[in-house]
mmCIF file of all heavy atoms in Angstrom:
data_model
loop_
_atom_site.group_PDB
_atom_site.id
_atom_site.type_symbol
_atom_site.label_atom_id
_atom_site.label_comp_id
_atom_site.label_asym_id
_atom_site.label_seq_id
_atom_site.Cartn_x
_atom_site.Cartn_y
_atom_site.Cartn_z
ATOM 1 N N GLU C 249 71.816 152.724 151.645
ATOM 2 C CA GLU C 249 72.218 153.977 151.030
ATOM 3 C C GLU C 249 73.217 154.685 151.951
ATOM 4 O O GLU C 249 73.098 154.608 153.172
ATOM 5 C CB GLU C 249 70.989 154.873 150.813
ATOM 6 C CG GLU C 249 70.038 154.361 149.745
ATOM 7 C CD GLU C 249 70.660 154.355 148.369
ATOM 8 O OE1 GLU C 249 71.392 155.316 148.037
ATOM 9 O OE2 GLU C 249 70.440 153.381 147.629
ATOM 10 N N PRO C 250 74.201 155.371 151.382
ATOM 11 C CA PRO C 250 75.149 156.115 152.222
ATOM 12 C C PRO C 250 74.432 157.159 153.063
ATOM 13 O O PRO C 250 73.450 157.760 152.634
ATOM 14 C CB PRO C 250 76.072 156.785 151.186
ATOM 15 C CG PRO C 250 75.919 155.982 149.945
ATOM 16 C CD PRO C 250 74.514 155.475 149.954
ATOM 17 N N ILE C 251 74.898 157.344 154.277
ATOM 18 C CA ILE C 251 74.338 158.358 155.167
ATOM 19 C C ILE C 251 75.220 159.589 155.043
ATOM 20 O O ILE C 251 76.326 159.629 155.590
ATOM 21 C CB ILE C 251 74.284 157.844 156.613
ATOM 22 C CG1 ILE C 251 73.375 156.619 156.690
ATOM 23 C CG2 ILE C 251 73.793 158.933 157.564
ATOM 24 C CD1 ILE C 251 73.312 155.967 158.052
ATOM 25 N N CYS C 252 74.747 160.579 154.302
ATOM 26 C CA CYS C 252 75.560 161.750 153.975
ATOM 27 C C CYS C 252 74.827 163.035 154.360
ATOM 28 O O CYS C 252 73.609 163.150 154.192
ATOM 29 C CB CYS C 252 75.870 161.778 152.479
ATOM 30 S SG CYS C 252 76.693 160.284 151.873
ATOM 31 N N ALA C 253 75.575 164.001 154.852
ATOM 32 C CA ALA C 253 75.001 165.269 155.295
ATOM 33 C C ALA C 253 74.562 166.133 154.119
ATOM 34 O O ALA C 253 75.203 166.155 153.068
ATOM 35 C CB ALA C 253 76.024 166.028 156.132
ATOM 36 N N THR C 254 73.454 166.843 154.322
ATOM 37 C CA THR C 254 73.024 167.849 153.349
ATOM 38 C C THR C 254 73.839 169.123 153.577
ATOM 39 O O THR C 254 74.573 169.242 154.564
ATOM 40 C CB THR C 254 71.531 168.168 153.531
ATOM 41 O OG1 THR C 254 71.345 168.746 154.844
ATOM 42 C CG2 THR C 254 70.684 166.913 153.407
ATOM 43 N N LYS C 255 73.692 170.077 152.686
ATOM 44 C CA LYS C 255 74.431 171.338 152.811
ATOM 45 C C LYS C 255 74.107 172.045 154.124
ATOM 46 O O LYS C 255 75.002 172.556 154.818
ATOM 47 C CB LYS C 255 74.114 172.259 151.632
ATOM 48 C CG LYS C 255 74.932 173.553 151.625
ATOM 49 C CD LYS C 255 74.645 174.385 150.392
ATOM 50 C CE LYS C 255 75.460 175.673 150.407
ATOM 51 N NZ LYS C 255 75.191 176.509 149.198
ATOM 52 N N SER C 256 72.825 172.068 154.492
ATOM 53 C CA SER C 256 72.438 172.734 155.741
ATOM 54 C C SER C 256 72.972 171.992 156.952
ATOM 55 O O SER C 256 73.377 172.600 157.951
ATOM 56 C CB SER C 256 70.915 172.864 155.828
ATOM 57 O OG SER C 256 70.296 171.591 155.804
ATOM 58 N N GLN C 257 73.002 170.660 156.880
ATOM 59 C CA GLN C 257 73.556 169.876 157.979
ATOM 60 C C GLN C 257 75.060 170.086 158.110
ATOM 61 O O GLN C 257 75.600 170.118 159.221
ATOM 62 C CB GLN C 257 73.232 168.397 157.786
ATOM 63 C CG GLN C 257 71.758 168.076 158.009
ATOM 64 C CD GLN C 257 71.394 166.674 157.585
ATOM 65 O OE1 GLN C 257 72.021 166.086 156.692
ATOM 66 N NE2 GLN C 257 70.351 166.118 158.200
ATOM 67 N N VAL C 258 75.744 170.233 156.981
ATOM 68 C CA VAL C 258 77.179 170.517 157.012
ATOM 69 C C VAL C 258 77.447 171.802 157.787
ATOM 70 O O VAL C 258 78.351 171.868 158.640
ATOM 71 C CB VAL C 258 77.749 170.642 155.575
ATOM 72 C CG1 VAL C 258 79.162 171.234 155.597
ATOM 73 C CG2 VAL C 258 77.772 169.282 154.888
ATOM 74 N N GLU C 259 76.649 172.818 157.535
ATOM 75 C CA GLU C 259 76.835 174.112 158.214
ATOM 76 C C GLU C 259 76.640 173.966 159.729
ATOM 77 O O GLU C 259 77.413 174.520 160.524
ATOM 78 C CB GLU C 259 75.859 175.136 157.638
ATOM 79 C CG GLU C 259 76.144 175.497 156.184
ATOM 80 C CD GLU C 259 75.078 176.391 155.582
ATOM 81 O OE1 GLU C 259 74.060 176.643 156.275
ATOM 82 O OE2 GLU C 259 75.248 176.839 154.420
ATOM 83 N N VAL C 260 75.606 173.215 160.132
ATOM 84 C CA VAL C 260 75.324 173.037 161.558
ATOM 85 C C VAL C 260 76.446 172.255 162.235
ATOM 86 O O VAL C 260 76.925 172.617 163.319
ATOM 87 C CB VAL C 260 73.971 172.312 161.749
ATOM 88 C CG1 VAL C 260 73.772 171.930 163.208
ATOM 89 C CG2 VAL C 260 72.824 173.182 161.273
ATOM 90 N N VAL C 261 76.881 171.178 161.596
ATOM 91 C CA VAL C 261 77.932 170.336 162.182
ATOM 92 C C VAL C 261 79.240 171.108 162.302
ATOM 93 O O VAL C 261 79.910 171.076 163.350
ATOM 94 C CB VAL C 261 78.131 169.064 161.332
ATOM 95 C CG1 VAL C 261 79.388 168.312 161.782
ATOM 96 C CG2 VAL C 261 76.906 168.161 161.428
ATOM 97 N N ARG C 262 79.604 171.837 161.270
ATOM 98 C CA ARG C 262 80.883 172.550 161.310
ATOM 99 C C ARG C 262 80.868 173.679 162.334
ATOM 100 O O ARG C 262 81.894 173.986 162.942
ATOM 101 C CB ARG C 262 81.240 173.063 159.916
ATOM 102 C CG ARG C 262 81.528 171.918 158.951
ATOM 103 C CD ARG C 262 82.223 172.371 157.701
ATOM 104 N NE ARG C 262 82.508 171.241 156.830
ATOM 105 C CZ ARG C 262 83.185 171.327 155.704
ATOM 106 N NH1 ARG C 262 83.675 172.499 155.313
ATOM 107 N NH2 ARG C 262 83.408 170.255 154.967
ATOM 108 N N ALA C 263 79.708 174.278 162.531
ATOM 109 C CA ALA C 263 79.604 175.300 163.578
ATOM 110 C C ALA C 263 79.830 174.678 164.951
ATOM 111 O O ALA C 263 80.462 175.272 165.833
ATOM 112 C CB ALA C 263 78.235 175.971 163.512
ATOM 113 N N THR C 264 79.345 173.459 165.131
ATOM 114 C CA THR C 264 79.529 172.754 166.399
ATOM 115 C C THR C 264 81.003 172.445 166.645
ATOM 116 O O THR C 264 81.502 172.569 167.769
ATOM 117 C CB THR C 264 78.710 171.447 166.404
ATOM 118 O OG1 THR C 264 77.325 171.758 166.238
ATOM 119 C CG2 THR C 264 78.906 170.679 167.696
ATOM 120 N N PHE C 265 81.714 172.065 165.594
ATOM 121 C CA PHE C 265 83.127 171.702 165.729
ATOM 122 C C PHE C 265 84.054 172.907 165.669
ATOM 123 O O PHE C 265 85.268 172.751 165.838
ATOM 124 C CB PHE C 265 83.512 170.677 164.661
ATOM 125 C CG PHE C 265 83.106 169.274 165.011
ATOM 126 C CD1 PHE C 265 81.825 168.829 164.768
ATOM 127 C CD2 PHE C 265 84.011 168.408 165.599
ATOM 128 C CE1 PHE C 265 81.426 167.546 165.104
ATOM 129 C CE2 PHE C 265 83.640 167.116 165.942
ATOM 130 C CZ PHE C 265 82.348 166.682 165.700
ATOM 131 N N ALA C 266 83.504 174.083 165.439
ATOM 132 C CA ALA C 266 84.329 175.298 165.413
ATOM 133 C C ALA C 266 84.565 175.854 166.812
ATOM 134 O O ALA C 266 85.295 176.832 166.984
ATOM 135 C CB ALA C 266 83.661 176.360 164.541
ATOM 136 N N LYS C 267 83.970 175.248 167.820
ATOM 137 C CA LYS C 267 84.128 175.717 169.196
ATOM 138 C C LYS C 267 85.572 175.503 169.675
ATOM 139 O O LYS C 267 86.280 174.637 169.160
ATOM 140 C CB LYS C 267 83.156 174.976 170.113
ATOM 141 C CG LYS C 267 81.686 175.183 169.761
ATOM 142 C CD LYS C 267 80.787 174.304 170.605
ATOM 143 C CE LYS C 267 79.324 174.474 170.217
ATOM 144 N NZ LYS C 267 78.421 173.582 170.985
ATOM 145 N N PRO C 268 86.019 176.285 170.671
ATOM 146 C CA PRO C 268 87.395 176.136 171.193
ATOM 147 C C PRO C 268 87.695 174.717 171.662
ATOM 148 O O PRO C 268 88.819 174.239 171.521
ATOM 149 C CB PRO C 268 87.425 177.129 172.358
ATOM 150 C CG PRO C 268 86.385 178.146 172.025
ATOM 151 C CD PRO C 268 85.299 177.403 171.314
ATOM 152 N N ALA C 269 86.711 174.033 172.223
ATOM 153 C CA ALA C 269 86.872 172.639 172.647
ATOM 154 C C ALA C 269 85.845 171.796 171.890
ATOM 155 O O ALA C 269 84.748 171.521 172.399
ATOM 156 C CB ALA C 269 86.673 172.504 174.149
ATOM 157 N N PRO C 270 86.150 171.395 170.647
ATOM 158 C CA PRO C 270 85.174 170.648 169.838
ATOM 159 C C PRO C 270 84.823 169.314 170.475
ATOM 160 O O PRO C 270 85.645 168.710 171.165
ATOM 161 C CB PRO C 270 85.908 170.455 168.500
ATOM 162 C CG PRO C 270 87.354 170.622 168.812
ATOM 163 C CD PRO C 270 87.428 171.588 169.946
ATOM 164 N N PRO C 271 83.605 168.843 170.264
ATOM 165 C CA PRO C 271 83.164 167.593 170.887
ATOM 166 C C PRO C 271 83.712 166.367 170.156
ATOM 167 O O PRO C 271 84.193 166.458 169.015
ATOM 168 C CB PRO C 271 81.638 167.660 170.750
ATOM 169 C CG PRO C 271 81.437 168.434 169.478
ATOM 170 C CD PRO C 271 82.540 169.459 169.445
ATOM 171 N N ALA C 272 83.624 165.225 170.801
ATOM 172 C CA ALA C 272 83.883 163.959 170.125
ATOM 173 C C ALA C 272 82.709 163.692 169.184
ATOM 174 O O ALA C 272 81.623 164.264 169.333
ATOM 175 C CB ALA C 272 84.013 162.836 171.145
ATOM 176 N N LEU C 273 82.918 162.819 168.213
ATOM 177 C CA LEU C 273 81.868 162.535 167.240
ATOM 178 C C LEU C 273 80.587 162.049 167.912
ATOM 179 O O LEU C 273 79.487 162.498 167.584
ATOM 180 C CB LEU C 273 82.354 161.495 166.234
ATOM 181 C CG LEU C 273 83.356 161.975 165.177
ATOM 182 C CD1 LEU C 273 83.886 160.781 164.390
ATOM 183 C CD2 LEU C 273 82.703 162.975 164.233
ATOM 184 N N PHE C 274 80.710 161.125 168.859
ATOM 185 C CA PHE C 274 79.507 160.575 169.485
ATOM 186 C C PHE C 274 78.763 161.642 170.282
ATOM 187 O O PHE C 274 77.533 161.640 170.347
ATOM 188 C CB PHE C 274 79.854 159.372 170.370
ATOM 189 C CG PHE C 274 80.513 159.718 171.683
ATOM 190 C CD1 PHE C 274 79.744 159.977 172.809
ATOM 191 C CD2 PHE C 274 81.885 159.789 171.786
ATOM 192 C CE1 PHE C 274 80.342 160.292 174.016
ATOM 193 C CE2 PHE C 274 82.493 160.107 172.993
ATOM 194 C CZ PHE C 274 81.732 160.361 174.112
ATOM 195 N N ALA C 275 79.520 162.576 170.886
ATOM 196 C CA ALA C 275 78.892 163.637 171.659
ATOM 197 C C ALA C 275 78.154 164.613 170.739
ATOM 198 O O ALA C 275 77.052 165.086 171.059
ATOM 199 C CB ALA C 275 79.932 164.379 172.485
ATOM 200 N N ALA C 276 78.753 164.913 169.587
ATOM 201 C CA ALA C 276 78.094 165.789 168.618
ATOM 202 C C ALA C 276 76.830 165.145 168.075
ATOM 203 O O ALA C 276 75.804 165.812 167.882
ATOM 204 C CB ALA C 276 79.055 166.124 167.483
ATOM 205 N N ALA C 277 76.882 163.841 167.817
ATOM 206 C CA ALA C 277 75.703 163.125 167.329
ATOM 207 C C ALA C 277 74.567 163.194 168.337
ATOM 208 O O ALA C 277 73.400 163.398 167.985
ATOM 209 C CB ALA C 277 76.075 161.673 167.029
ATOM 210 N N LYS C 278 74.906 163.038 169.610
ATOM 211 C CA LYS C 278 73.888 163.104 170.664
ATOM 212 C C LYS C 278 73.327 164.510 170.787
ATOM 213 O O LYS C 278 72.109 164.697 170.926
ATOM 214 C CB LYS C 278 74.507 162.663 171.988
ATOM 215 C CG LYS C 278 73.514 162.591 173.136
ATOM 216 C CD LYS C 278 74.172 162.048 174.401
ATOM 217 C CE LYS C 278 73.169 161.955 175.542
ATOM 218 N NZ LYS C 278 73.793 161.420 176.780
ATOM 219 N N GLU C 279 74.211 165.513 170.728
ATOM 220 C CA GLU C 279 73.777 166.904 170.863
ATOM 221 C C GLU C 279 72.874 167.333 169.713
ATOM 222 O O GLU C 279 71.846 167.999 169.913
ATOM 223 C CB GLU C 279 75.003 167.816 170.919
ATOM 224 C CG GLU C 279 74.679 169.310 170.969
ATOM 225 C CD GLU C 279 75.922 170.183 170.902
ATOM 226 O OE1 GLU C 279 77.032 169.669 171.160
ATOM 227 O OE2 GLU C 279 75.787 171.385 170.587
ATOM 228 N N LEU C 280 73.239 166.946 168.493
ATOM 229 C CA LEU C 280 72.498 167.378 167.300
ATOM 230 C C LEU C 280 71.391 166.404 166.905
ATOM 231 O O LEU C 280 70.646 166.675 165.964
ATOM 232 C CB LEU C 280 73.470 167.559 166.135
ATOM 233 C CG LEU C 280 74.566 168.609 166.342
ATOM 234 C CD1 LEU C 280 75.523 168.630 165.155
ATOM 235 C CD2 LEU C 280 73.956 169.996 166.558
ATOM 236 N N LYS C 281 71.340 165.260 167.603
ATOM 237 C CA LYS C 281 70.322 164.240 167.306
ATOM 238 C C LYS C 281 70.400 163.788 165.848
ATOM 239 O O LYS C 281 69.391 163.714 165.133
ATOM 240 C CB LYS C 281 68.920 164.757 167.649
ATOM 241 C CG LYS C 281 68.722 165.044 169.132
ATOM 242 C CD LYS C 281 67.319 165.567 169.424
ATOM 243 C CE LYS C 281 67.070 165.701 170.927
ATOM 244 N NZ LYS C 281 68.062 166.527 171.643
ATOM 245 N N LEU C 282 71.620 163.481 165.431
ATOM 246 C CA LEU C 282 71.890 163.006 164.079
ATOM 247 C C LEU C 282 72.754 161.752 164.156
ATOM 248 O O LEU C 282 73.501 161.567 165.120
ATOM 249 C CB LEU C 282 72.630 164.075 163.264
ATOM 250 C CG LEU C 282 71.867 165.358 162.941
ATOM 251 C CD1 LEU C 282 72.814 166.402 162.354
ATOM 252 C CD2 LEU C 282 70.719 165.079 161.983
ATOM 253 N N PRO C 283 72.692 160.872 163.139
ATOM 254 C CA PRO C 283 73.567 159.697 163.140
ATOM 255 C C PRO C 283 75.044 160.114 163.140
ATOM 256 O O PRO C 283 75.414 161.100 162.494
ATOM 257 C CB PRO C 283 73.198 158.978 161.842
ATOM 258 C CG PRO C 283 71.827 159.461 161.504
ATOM 259 C CD PRO C 283 71.772 160.887 161.984
ATOM 260 N N GLU C 284 75.847 159.366 163.849
ATOM 261 C CA GLU C 284 77.265 159.742 163.948
ATOM 262 C C GLU C 284 77.953 159.726 162.586
ATOM 263 O O GLU C 284 78.814 160.560 162.303
ATOM 264 C CB GLU C 284 77.987 158.796 164.906
ATOM 265 C CG GLU C 284 79.402 159.234 165.208
ATOM 266 C CD GLU C 284 80.094 158.335 166.216
ATOM 267 O OE1 GLU C 284 79.450 157.935 167.211
ATOM 268 O OE2 GLU C 284 81.287 158.036 166.005
ATOM 269 N N ALA C 285 77.579 158.782 161.708
ATOM 270 C CA ALA C 285 78.183 158.731 160.375
ATOM 271 C C ALA C 285 77.868 159.997 159.583
ATOM 272 O O ALA C 285 78.690 160.483 158.804
ATOM 273 C CB ALA C 285 77.709 157.499 159.608
ATOM 274 N N LEU C 286 76.672 160.541 159.784
ATOM 275 C CA LEU C 286 76.310 161.789 159.111
ATOM 276 C C LEU C 286 77.170 162.937 159.626
ATOM 277 O O LEU C 286 77.615 163.784 158.839
ATOM 278 C CB LEU C 286 74.825 162.083 159.324
ATOM 279 C CG LEU C 286 74.247 163.280 158.550
ATOM 280 C CD1 LEU C 286 72.795 163.028 158.188
ATOM 281 C CD2 LEU C 286 74.363 164.570 159.353
#
């Protein structure tokens, strides 16, 4: 099954990437404890 973010997960991820120095995908996955594809 596709690994897709829920609405609440979208909000959390986008807040993380809204920082002045956004993280790389793998770093965000590690920080949020979510699959990188999500």
Side-chain angles (χ1 to χ4, degrees):
E249 291 295 320
I251 298 176
C252 303
T254 63
K255 185 176 180 180
S256 60
Q257 289 170 332
V258 168
E259 293 174 355
V260 171
V261 170
R262 293 195 179 184
T264 300
F265 280 83
K267 299 174 182 177
L273 286 172
F274 75 89
K278 184 176 181 180
E279 176 185 342
L280 299 176
K281 296 179 173 55
L282 294 170
E284 188 177 318
L286 187 148

